[in-house]
Amino acid sequence: MAALPQILHSPPCSSSTSSLIAYLNRSPHPPPYFHFSDLRRRRPISLRCHSHHTNSSDDDLVELPIFPLPLVLFPGAILPLQIFEFRYRMMMHTLLQADLRFGVIYADSSTGATDVGCVGEIIKHERLVDDRFFLICKGQERFRITKLVRTKPYLVAQVVWLEDRPDPETEHDLDSLANEVESYMKDVIRLSNRLNGKSSEKETVQDIRRNLFPTPFSFFVASTFEGAPREQQALLELVDTAKRLKREKETLRNTLNYLSAASAVKDVFPSS
């Protein structure tokens, strides 16, 4: 697939907050292996559990081992991991004998960990002689943490599943909205490639949506917004496909406007 530029977008929380967009070309292929030892160099992560009204009964609650990571996992996305820290090796031994599923939540050292994440399912693994693990995981259901069950040797939380709940008072043609988002993505890719000298602006960008239904396509689009984890987290937490697609469309429109301006400058000053 053609390369997507890195998109940095600030949520519209105030009129003074603007989108910061970098068009450094980034591949939408899986990121490099993340080393869990990186977490040891961070200060202890605090988990923010907010109060939310749910109709979930105790039967709907599930316990999951939790991985706090400096990234956002989406349903359908592929996540490669390398694990060699002792407590996470312990977790892997347990998972590989049982469910193969764990929860991934976004966390950073400044704001702590979020309470909404995505299940990662181990679809391939390799255990090395020194007891390290190489894993390939795939994003599955979203969840919200309702309670921490334990924190040692690793986090285990009680979670409830999250599903999109369209607003019954508003009707949207999701398929048309998804097609608009795809069109913006193609324009962004085409113009970004031109700016980076990788192809002609008129070169046709291959099919991006690949017959995905609107909801999984909205998650795929969000997964390409690398470099903007807080924006990705906001998209993950939305429970309305139309709102997610609209927010992505706005981000892509802002990106396209930025790239168009950069292209105009490059045409006037070719050496810049």
Side-chain angles (χ1 to χ4, degrees), residues 4 23 32 52 93 101 125 132-133 142 145 148 161 163 169 183 200 221 225 227-229 232 241 248 268:
L4 275 174
Y23 60 88
H52 294 273
H93 284 289
R101 292 153 60 88
H125 74 278
R132 287 182 298 135
F133 287 90
R142 291 174 297 160
I145 293 176
L148 281 179
W161 304 123
E163 295 182 359
E169 297 183 0
S183 178
S200 167
V221 174
F225 290 1
Q232 288 183 310
T241 300
E248 290 165 348
V268 176

PDB file of all heavy atoms in Angstrom, residues 4 23 32 52 93 101 125 132-133 142 145 148 161 163 169 183 200 221 225 227-229 232 241 248 268:
ATOM      1  N   LEU A   4       1.469   6.550   3.893  1.00  0.00           N
ATOM      2  CA  LEU A   4       0.699   7.645   4.465  1.00  0.00           C
ATOM      3  C   LEU A   4       1.637   8.586   5.192  1.00  0.00           C
ATOM      4  O   LEU A   4       2.588   8.144   5.838  1.00  0.00           O
ATOM      5  CB  LEU A   4      -0.325   7.113   5.467  1.00  0.00           C
ATOM      6  CG  LEU A   4      -1.658   6.631   4.923  1.00  0.00           C
ATOM      7  CD1 LEU A   4      -2.454   6.019   6.054  1.00  0.00           C
ATOM      8  CD2 LEU A   4      -2.434   7.780   4.324  1.00  0.00           C
ATOM      9  N   TYR A  23       4.265  16.098   7.408  1.00  0.00           N
ATOM     10  CA  TYR A  23       4.033  15.219   6.272  1.00  0.00           C
ATOM     11  C   TYR A  23       5.238  14.316   5.997  1.00  0.00           C
ATOM     12  O   TYR A  23       5.480  13.888   4.876  1.00  0.00           O
ATOM     13  CB  TYR A  23       3.670  16.020   5.014  1.00  0.00           C
ATOM     14  CG  TYR A  23       4.690  16.995   4.527  1.00  0.00           C
ATOM     15  CD1 TYR A  23       5.689  16.610   3.642  1.00  0.00           C
ATOM     16  CD2 TYR A  23       4.652  18.305   4.950  1.00  0.00           C
ATOM     17  CE1 TYR A  23       6.626  17.528   3.199  1.00  0.00           C
ATOM     18  CE2 TYR A  23       5.579  19.223   4.502  1.00  0.00           C
ATOM     19  CZ  TYR A  23       6.562  18.828   3.620  1.00  0.00           C
ATOM     20  OH  TYR A  23       7.479  19.744   3.187  1.00  0.00           O
ATOM     21  N   PRO A  32       7.879  -1.124  14.391  1.00  0.00           N
ATOM     22  CA  PRO A  32       8.948  -2.014  14.857  1.00  0.00           C
ATOM     23  C   PRO A  32       8.557  -2.663  16.180  1.00  0.00           C
ATOM     24  O   PRO A  32       7.678  -2.193  16.885  1.00  0.00           O
ATOM     25  CB  PRO A  32      10.140  -1.064  15.031  1.00  0.00           C
ATOM     26  CG  PRO A  32       9.812   0.131  14.213  1.00  0.00           C
ATOM     27  CD  PRO A  32       8.318   0.257  14.242  1.00  0.00           C
ATOM     28  N   HIS A  52     -18.614   5.960  34.566  1.00  0.00           N
ATOM     29  CA  HIS A  52     -19.436   5.937  33.366  1.00  0.00           C
ATOM     30  C   HIS A  52     -20.689   5.134  33.676  1.00  0.00           C
ATOM     31  O   HIS A  52     -20.645   4.106  34.345  1.00  0.00           O
ATOM     32  CB  HIS A  52     -18.695   5.274  32.194  1.00  0.00           C
ATOM     33  CG  HIS A  52     -17.506   6.061  31.739  1.00  0.00           C
ATOM     34  ND1 HIS A  52     -17.578   7.071  30.810  1.00  0.00           N
ATOM     35  CD2 HIS A  52     -16.192   5.977  32.109  1.00  0.00           C
ATOM     36  CE1 HIS A  52     -16.368   7.562  30.601  1.00  0.00           C
ATOM     37  NE2 HIS A  52     -15.523   6.917  31.381  1.00  0.00           N
ATOM     38  N   HIS A  93       3.587 -16.799  29.693  1.00  0.00           N
ATOM     39  CA  HIS A  93       3.449 -18.218  30.012  1.00  0.00           C
ATOM     40  C   HIS A  93       1.998 -18.544  30.368  1.00  0.00           C
ATOM     41  O   HIS A  93       1.465 -19.586  29.981  1.00  0.00           O
ATOM     42  CB  HIS A  93       4.377 -18.603  31.160  1.00  0.00           C
ATOM     43  CG  HIS A  93       5.807 -18.730  30.764  1.00  0.00           C
ATOM     44  ND1 HIS A  93       6.272 -19.759  29.980  1.00  0.00           N
ATOM     45  CD2 HIS A  93       6.899 -17.947  31.030  1.00  0.00           C
ATOM     46  CE1 HIS A  93       7.570 -19.611  29.770  1.00  0.00           C
ATOM     47  NE2 HIS A  93       7.978 -18.527  30.398  1.00  0.00           N
ATOM     48  N   ARG A 101      -5.248 -13.787  25.030  1.00  0.00           N
ATOM     49  CA  ARG A 101      -5.783 -12.425  24.896  1.00  0.00           C
ATOM     50  C   ARG A 101      -5.386 -11.573  26.099  1.00  0.00           C
ATOM     51  O   ARG A 101      -5.401 -12.043  27.227  1.00  0.00           O
ATOM     52  CB  ARG A 101      -7.315 -12.458  24.753  1.00  0.00           C
ATOM     53  CG  ARG A 101      -7.786 -13.083  23.449  1.00  0.00           C
ATOM     54  CD  ARG A 101      -9.169 -13.693  23.589  1.00  0.00           C
ATOM     55  NE  ARG A 101     -10.172 -12.723  23.972  1.00  0.00           N
ATOM     56  CZ  ARG A 101     -10.881 -11.977  23.106  1.00  0.00           C
ATOM     57  NH1 ARG A 101     -10.655 -12.100  21.807  1.00  0.00           N
ATOM     58  NH2 ARG A 101     -11.790 -11.145  23.523  1.00  0.00           N
ATOM     59  N   HIS A 125       3.603 -16.679  17.802  1.00  0.00           N
ATOM     60  CA  HIS A 125       4.603 -16.408  18.821  1.00  0.00           C
ATOM     61  C   HIS A 125       5.813 -17.312  18.627  1.00  0.00           C
ATOM     62  O   HIS A 125       5.726 -18.383  18.018  1.00  0.00           O
ATOM     63  CB  HIS A 125       4.030 -16.605  20.220  1.00  0.00           C
ATOM     64  CG  HIS A 125       3.843 -18.039  20.613  1.00  0.00           C
ATOM     65  ND1 HIS A 125       2.731 -18.782  20.230  1.00  0.00           N
ATOM     66  CD2 HIS A 125       4.622 -18.889  21.342  1.00  0.00           C
ATOM     67  CE1 HIS A 125       2.831 -19.997  20.709  1.00  0.00           C
ATOM     68  NE2 HIS A 125       3.966 -20.100  21.393  1.00  0.00           N
ATOM     69  N   ARG A 132      12.873 -15.229  26.161  1.00  0.00           N
ATOM     70  CA  ARG A 132      12.228 -14.070  25.546  1.00  0.00           C
ATOM     71  C   ARG A 132      11.147 -14.560  24.585  1.00  0.00           C
ATOM     72  O   ARG A 132      11.153 -15.712  24.150  1.00  0.00           O
ATOM     73  CB  ARG A 132      13.238 -13.206  24.784  1.00  0.00           C
ATOM     74  CG  ARG A 132      14.165 -12.403  25.666  1.00  0.00           C
ATOM     75  CD  ARG A 132      15.090 -11.540  24.814  1.00  0.00           C
ATOM     76  NE  ARG A 132      15.943 -12.363  23.957  1.00  0.00           N
ATOM     77  CZ  ARG A 132      16.164 -12.101  22.665  1.00  0.00           C
ATOM     78  NH1 ARG A 132      15.575 -11.087  22.070  1.00  0.00           N
ATOM     79  NH2 ARG A 132      16.974 -12.888  21.965  1.00  0.00           N
ATOM     80  N   PHE A 133      10.226 -13.651  24.245  1.00  0.00           N
ATOM     81  CA  PHE A 133       9.154 -13.997  23.318  1.00  0.00           C
ATOM     82  C   PHE A 133       9.085 -12.961  22.194  1.00  0.00           C
ATOM     83  O   PHE A 133       9.220 -11.749  22.440  1.00  0.00           O
ATOM     84  CB  PHE A 133       7.796 -14.011  24.032  1.00  0.00           C
ATOM     85  CG  PHE A 133       7.588 -15.177  24.945  1.00  0.00           C
ATOM     86  CD1 PHE A 133       7.955 -15.089  26.275  1.00  0.00           C
ATOM     87  CD2 PHE A 133       7.013 -16.348  24.483  1.00  0.00           C
ATOM     88  CE1 PHE A 133       7.758 -16.157  27.133  1.00  0.00           C
ATOM     89  CE2 PHE A 133       6.813 -17.427  25.327  1.00  0.00           C
ATOM     90  CZ  PHE A 133       7.183 -17.334  26.659  1.00  0.00           C
ATOM     91  N   ARG A 142     -12.869  -3.645  21.790  1.00  0.00           N
ATOM     92  CA  ARG A 142     -12.521  -2.543  22.691  1.00  0.00           C
ATOM     93  C   ARG A 142     -13.129  -2.816  24.065  1.00  0.00           C
ATOM     94  O   ARG A 142     -14.112  -3.531  24.195  1.00  0.00           O
ATOM     95  CB  ARG A 142     -13.051  -1.217  22.156  1.00  0.00           C
ATOM     96  CG  ARG A 142     -12.352  -0.734  20.901  1.00  0.00           C
ATOM     97  CD  ARG A 142     -13.034   0.513  20.368  1.00  0.00           C
ATOM     98  NE  ARG A 142     -14.409   0.219  19.969  1.00  0.00           N
ATOM     99  CZ  ARG A 142     -15.357   1.140  19.822  1.00  0.00           C
ATOM    100  NH1 ARG A 142     -15.091   2.421  20.082  1.00  0.00           N
ATOM    101  NH2 ARG A 142     -16.565   0.797  19.439  1.00  0.00           N
ATOM    102  N   ILE A 145     -12.009  -0.204  31.373  1.00  0.00           N
ATOM    103  CA  ILE A 145     -11.659  -0.735  32.686  1.00  0.00           C
ATOM    104  C   ILE A 145     -12.619  -0.187  33.737  1.00  0.00           C
ATOM    105  O   ILE A 145     -12.848   1.025  33.821  1.00  0.00           O
ATOM    106  CB  ILE A 145     -10.214  -0.378  33.054  1.00  0.00           C
ATOM    107  CG1 ILE A 145      -9.233  -1.109  32.119  1.00  0.00           C
ATOM    108  CG2 ILE A 145      -9.909  -0.721  34.511  1.00  0.00           C
ATOM    109  CD1 ILE A 145      -7.783  -0.747  32.337  1.00  0.00           C
ATOM    110  N   LEU A 148      -9.505  -2.169  38.969  1.00  0.00           N
ATOM    111  CA  LEU A 148      -8.251  -2.921  39.002  1.00  0.00           C
ATOM    112  C   LEU A 148      -8.396  -4.086  39.974  1.00  0.00           C
ATOM    113  O   LEU A 148      -8.781  -3.903  41.133  1.00  0.00           O
ATOM    114  CB  LEU A 148      -7.093  -2.025  39.434  1.00  0.00           C
ATOM    115  CG  LEU A 148      -6.497  -1.097  38.376  1.00  0.00           C
ATOM    116  CD1 LEU A 148      -5.379  -0.272  38.982  1.00  0.00           C
ATOM    117  CD2 LEU A 148      -5.991  -1.890  37.184  1.00  0.00           C
ATOM    118  N   TRP A 161     -17.062  -4.600  27.781  1.00  0.00           N
ATOM    119  CA  TRP A 161     -16.830  -4.412  26.346  1.00  0.00           C
ATOM    120  C   TRP A 161     -17.491  -3.137  25.846  1.00  0.00           C
ATOM    121  O   TRP A 161     -18.555  -2.740  26.328  1.00  0.00           O
ATOM    122  CB  TRP A 161     -17.350  -5.607  25.553  1.00  0.00           C
ATOM    123  CG  TRP A 161     -16.777  -6.922  25.973  1.00  0.00           C
ATOM    124  CD1 TRP A 161     -17.463  -8.021  26.393  1.00  0.00           C
ATOM    125  CD2 TRP A 161     -15.382  -7.279  26.027  1.00  0.00           C
ATOM    126  NE1 TRP A 161     -16.591  -9.034  26.706  1.00  0.00           N
ATOM    127  CE2 TRP A 161     -15.316  -8.619  26.492  1.00  0.00           C
ATOM    128  CE3 TRP A 161     -14.201  -6.603  25.733  1.00  0.00           C
ATOM    129  CZ2 TRP A 161     -14.110  -9.291  26.663  1.00  0.00           C
ATOM    130  CZ3 TRP A 161     -12.999  -7.280  25.912  1.00  0.00           C
ATOM    131  CH2 TRP A 161     -12.955  -8.593  26.365  1.00  0.00           C
ATOM    132  N   GLU A 163     -18.970  -1.199  22.391  1.00  0.00           N
ATOM    133  CA  GLU A 163     -19.422  -1.335  21.015  1.00  0.00           C
ATOM    134  C   GLU A 163     -19.989  -0.003  20.547  1.00  0.00           C
ATOM    135  O   GLU A 163     -20.461   0.804  21.359  1.00  0.00           O
ATOM    136  CB  GLU A 163     -20.495  -2.423  20.898  1.00  0.00           C
ATOM    137  CG  GLU A 163     -19.998  -3.826  21.216  1.00  0.00           C
ATOM    138  CD  GLU A 163     -21.083  -4.871  21.037  1.00  0.00           C
ATOM    139  OE1 GLU A 163     -22.221  -4.481  20.684  1.00  0.00           O
ATOM    140  OE2 GLU A 163     -20.803  -6.063  21.234  1.00  0.00           O
ATOM    141  N   GLU A 169     -31.167   9.575  16.748  1.00  0.00           N
ATOM    142  CA  GLU A 169     -31.783  10.819  16.289  1.00  0.00           C
ATOM    143  C   GLU A 169     -31.115  11.381  15.041  1.00  0.00           C
ATOM    144  O   GLU A 169     -31.606  12.326  14.441  1.00  0.00           O
ATOM    145  CB  GLU A 169     -31.745  11.858  17.415  1.00  0.00           C
ATOM    146  CG  GLU A 169     -32.546  11.443  18.649  1.00  0.00           C
ATOM    147  CD  GLU A 169     -32.541  12.512  19.712  1.00  0.00           C
ATOM    148  OE1 GLU A 169     -31.905  13.571  19.477  1.00  0.00           O
ATOM    149  OE2 GLU A 169     -33.165  12.305  20.773  1.00  0.00           O
ATOM    150  N   SER A 183     -11.444   8.959  -0.075  1.00  0.00           N
ATOM    151  CA  SER A 183     -11.037   9.908  -1.105  1.00  0.00           C
ATOM    152  C   SER A 183     -10.017  10.904  -0.564  1.00  0.00           C
ATOM    153  O   SER A 183      -9.009  11.209  -1.219  1.00  0.00           O
ATOM    154  CB  SER A 183     -12.277  10.648  -1.640  1.00  0.00           C
ATOM    155  OG  SER A 183     -11.920  11.602  -2.614  1.00  0.00           O
ATOM    156  N   SER A 200       4.450  10.755  -9.194  1.00  0.00           N
ATOM    157  CA  SER A 200       3.748  11.873  -9.821  1.00  0.00           C
ATOM    158  C   SER A 200       2.456  12.141  -9.072  1.00  0.00           C
ATOM    159  O   SER A 200       1.823  11.229  -8.532  1.00  0.00           O
ATOM    160  CB  SER A 200       3.433  11.539 -11.282  1.00  0.00           C
ATOM    161  OG  SER A 200       2.513  12.466 -11.815  1.00  0.00           O
ATOM    162  N   VAL A 221      -8.434   3.604   9.469  1.00  0.00           N
ATOM    163  CA  VAL A 221      -8.003   4.983   9.233  1.00  0.00           C
ATOM    164  C   VAL A 221      -7.336   5.539  10.484  1.00  0.00           C
ATOM    165  O   VAL A 221      -6.253   6.138  10.427  1.00  0.00           O
ATOM    166  CB  VAL A 221      -9.192   5.868   8.811  1.00  0.00           C
ATOM    167  CG1 VAL A 221      -8.756   7.332   8.719  1.00  0.00           C
ATOM    168  CG2 VAL A 221      -9.764   5.403   7.472  1.00  0.00           C
ATOM    169  N   PHE A 225      -2.942   7.148  11.842  1.00  0.00           N
ATOM    170  CA  PHE A 225      -2.585   8.462  12.380  1.00  0.00           C
ATOM    171  C   PHE A 225      -1.422   8.338  13.362  1.00  0.00           C
ATOM    172  O   PHE A 225      -1.497   8.752  14.515  1.00  0.00           O
ATOM    173  CB  PHE A 225      -3.782   9.118  13.056  1.00  0.00           C
ATOM    174  CG  PHE A 225      -4.876   9.554  12.119  1.00  0.00           C
ATOM    175  CD1 PHE A 225      -4.778   9.340  10.753  1.00  0.00           C
ATOM    176  CD2 PHE A 225      -6.015  10.178  12.601  1.00  0.00           C
ATOM    177  CE1 PHE A 225      -5.784   9.738   9.886  1.00  0.00           C
ATOM    178  CE2 PHE A 225      -7.025  10.587  11.747  1.00  0.00           C
ATOM    179  CZ  PHE A 225      -6.912  10.360  10.387  1.00  0.00           C
ATOM    180  N   GLY A 227       1.956   8.960  15.354  1.00  0.00           N
ATOM    181  CA  GLY A 227       2.550  10.206  15.825  1.00  0.00           C
ATOM    182  C   GLY A 227       1.564  11.085  16.558  1.00  0.00           C
ATOM    183  O   GLY A 227       1.942  12.130  17.080  1.00  0.00           O
ATOM    184  N   ALA A 228       0.293  10.675  16.609  1.00  0.00           N
ATOM    185  CA  ALA A 228      -0.730  11.451  17.323  1.00  0.00           C
ATOM    186  C   ALA A 228      -1.528  10.516  18.227  1.00  0.00           C
ATOM    187  O   ALA A 228      -2.724  10.301  18.022  1.00  0.00           O
ATOM    188  CB  ALA A 228      -1.642  12.157  16.331  1.00  0.00           C
ATOM    189  N   PRO A 229      -0.889   9.913  19.246  1.00  0.00           N
ATOM    190  CA  PRO A 229      -1.579   8.905  20.056  1.00  0.00           C
ATOM    191  C   PRO A 229      -2.778   9.436  20.826  1.00  0.00           C
ATOM    192  O   PRO A 229      -3.744   8.696  21.033  1.00  0.00           O
ATOM    193  CB  PRO A 229      -0.482   8.397  21.004  1.00  0.00           C
ATOM    194  CG  PRO A 229       0.535   9.492  21.046  1.00  0.00           C
ATOM    195  CD  PRO A 229       0.507  10.101  19.675  1.00  0.00           C
ATOM    196  N   GLN A 232      -5.537   9.491  18.423  1.00  0.00           N
ATOM    197  CA  GLN A 232      -5.943   8.109  18.203  1.00  0.00           C
ATOM    198  C   GLN A 232      -6.776   7.589  19.374  1.00  0.00           C
ATOM    199  O   GLN A 232      -7.774   6.886  19.177  1.00  0.00           O
ATOM    200  CB  GLN A 232      -4.714   7.221  18.011  1.00  0.00           C
ATOM    201  CG  GLN A 232      -4.005   7.418  16.678  1.00  0.00           C
ATOM    202  CD  GLN A 232      -2.844   6.457  16.515  1.00  0.00           C
ATOM    203  OE1 GLN A 232      -1.998   6.333  17.401  1.00  0.00           O
ATOM    204  NE2 GLN A 232      -2.796   5.772  15.392  1.00  0.00           N
ATOM    205  N   THR A 241     -19.773   5.321  14.872  1.00  0.00           N
ATOM    206  CA  THR A 241     -18.956   5.225  13.664  1.00  0.00           C
ATOM    207  C   THR A 241     -19.000   6.510  12.856  1.00  0.00           C
ATOM    208  O   THR A 241     -17.978   6.963  12.330  1.00  0.00           O
ATOM    209  CB  THR A 241     -19.430   4.053  12.781  1.00  0.00           C
ATOM    210  OG1 THR A 241     -19.320   2.831  13.526  1.00  0.00           O
ATOM    211  CG2 THR A 241     -18.582   3.926  11.528  1.00  0.00           C
ATOM    212  N   GLU A 248     -12.225  11.925  11.477  1.00  0.00           N
ATOM    213  CA  GLU A 248     -11.112  11.543  10.613  1.00  0.00           C
ATOM    214  C   GLU A 248     -11.126  12.344   9.319  1.00  0.00           C
ATOM    215  O   GLU A 248     -10.071  12.755   8.822  1.00  0.00           O
ATOM    216  CB  GLU A 248     -11.197  10.048  10.312  1.00  0.00           C
ATOM    217  CG  GLU A 248     -10.900   9.179  11.529  1.00  0.00           C
ATOM    218  CD  GLU A 248     -11.325   7.734  11.367  1.00  0.00           C
ATOM    219  OE1 GLU A 248     -12.053   7.429  10.399  1.00  0.00           O
ATOM    220  OE2 GLU A 248     -10.940   6.906  12.200  1.00  0.00           O
ATOM    221  N   VAL A 268       6.808  27.373  -6.135  1.00  0.00           N
ATOM    222  CA  VAL A 268       7.396  28.717  -6.278  1.00  0.00           C
ATOM    223  C   VAL A 268       8.885  28.697  -5.966  1.00  0.00           C
ATOM    224  O   VAL A 268       9.686  29.369  -6.627  1.00  0.00           O
ATOM    225  CB  VAL A 268       6.656  29.713  -5.339  1.00  0.00           C
ATOM    226  CG1 VAL A 268       7.327  31.090  -5.401  1.00  0.00           C
ATOM    227  CG2 VAL A 268       5.183  29.815  -5.724  1.00  0.00           C
TER     228      VAL A 268
END
